[in-house]
Amino acid sequence: MILGGSRRSFEVGLLLADLVVIQLSLVLAYTVRYSTGLTAVGKLSFPFYAAAGLLAAGLWILVFILSRMGEVRTGWRLPNIVSHLFVGSLVGGLCFLAEVYLTTVLYSRLVLILWAVVGFGSLILVRILFWRVFSTWHNLTRRKVLLLGSLDLVLEAAAKIRNHPELL
């Protein structure tokens, strides 16, 4: 993570938003699964799922820091952000499924699948929302840049500035 005032607060804000979204998607998945009126043989109460949610939050913090998800290294392009989130979610999800297997608690597969789908979609929406807020804020504080040099260097520097406006 980059140590800078606004950059650091951006990363922390993104991590906190991710953690809130992960917990809300768990609540939504649990509610959808157990409010349908289907008979639930061996239904686990919500505290078991809440403990799993806390474990998933801890795993997400670890994945977020180790894979530097707060840094948008490839710019604000949706395919790049989705692929980065997919890899991070896959690693976190596999670690979580390993924990579920080792604890031998029989979580509902439907809840786990709904949680993964809703959580992944929500994480993408959080990124889009952060991009919108950041780009609106950035347009208010836009800085002009004068680039001097040979054509190749100027075009490369302009592309980097265009892809990473948060570094200005």
Side-chain angles (χ1 to χ4, degrees):
M1 290 186 171
I2 297 172
L3 295 176
S6 64
R7 182 74 180 143
R8 180 72 163 191
S9 61
F10 175 80
E11 292 173 357
V12 170
L14 189 59
L15 177 61
L16 289 176
D18 285 353
L19 294 176
V20 168
V21 161
I22 288 170
Q23 300 309 315
L24 288 178
S25 63
L26 171 64
V27 170
L28 181 67
Y30 183 84
T31 304
V32 167
R33 165 61 177 97
Y34 290 115
S35 68
T36 57
L38 298 173
T39 57
V41 177
K43 172 185 172 185
L44 286 177
S45 62
F46 188 73
F48 284 101
Y49 286 99
L54 290 176
L55 175 73
L59 285 172
W60 187 254
I61 291 170
L62 187 66
V63 167
F64 189 92
I65 291 171
L66 292 178
S67 67
R68 299 180 303 197
M69 282 193 184
E71 300 175 13
V72 186
R73 295 182 301 276
T74 56
W76 287 99
R77 294 192 188 100
L78 189 60
N80 295 341
I81 291 173
V82 169
S83 67
H84 201 125
L85 274 177
F86 182 75
V87 170
S89 298
L90 188 65
V91 168
L94 289 175
C95 291
F96 179 75
L97 288 177
E99 181 273 334
V100 168
Y101 176 75
L102 292 175
T103 59
T104 65
V105 176
L106 298 176
Y107 292 102
S108 168
R109 289 173 293 195
L110 184 59
V111 171
L112 295 178
I113 291 170
L114 284 173
W115 187 16
V117 171
V118 171
F120 184 69
S122 300
L123 289 173
I124 292 172
L125 289 177
V126 164
R127 296 301 190 280
I128 292 171
L129 180 68
F130 263 70
W131 175 75
R132 287 292 209 177
V133 169
F134 179 76
S135 65
T136 303
W137 172 79
H138 190 292
N139 286 337
L140 296 176
T141 61
R142 184 170 292 224
R143 299 178 185 148
K144 294 183 180 182
V145 176
L146 175 65
L147 299 173
L148 298 174
S150 67
L151 182 63
D152 294 336
L153 292 176
V154 169
L155 290 177
E156 182 180 342
K160 286 184 180 182
I161 290 170
R162 191 172 29 258
N163 289 337
H164 298 284
E166 70 273 6
L167 297 178
L168 286 178

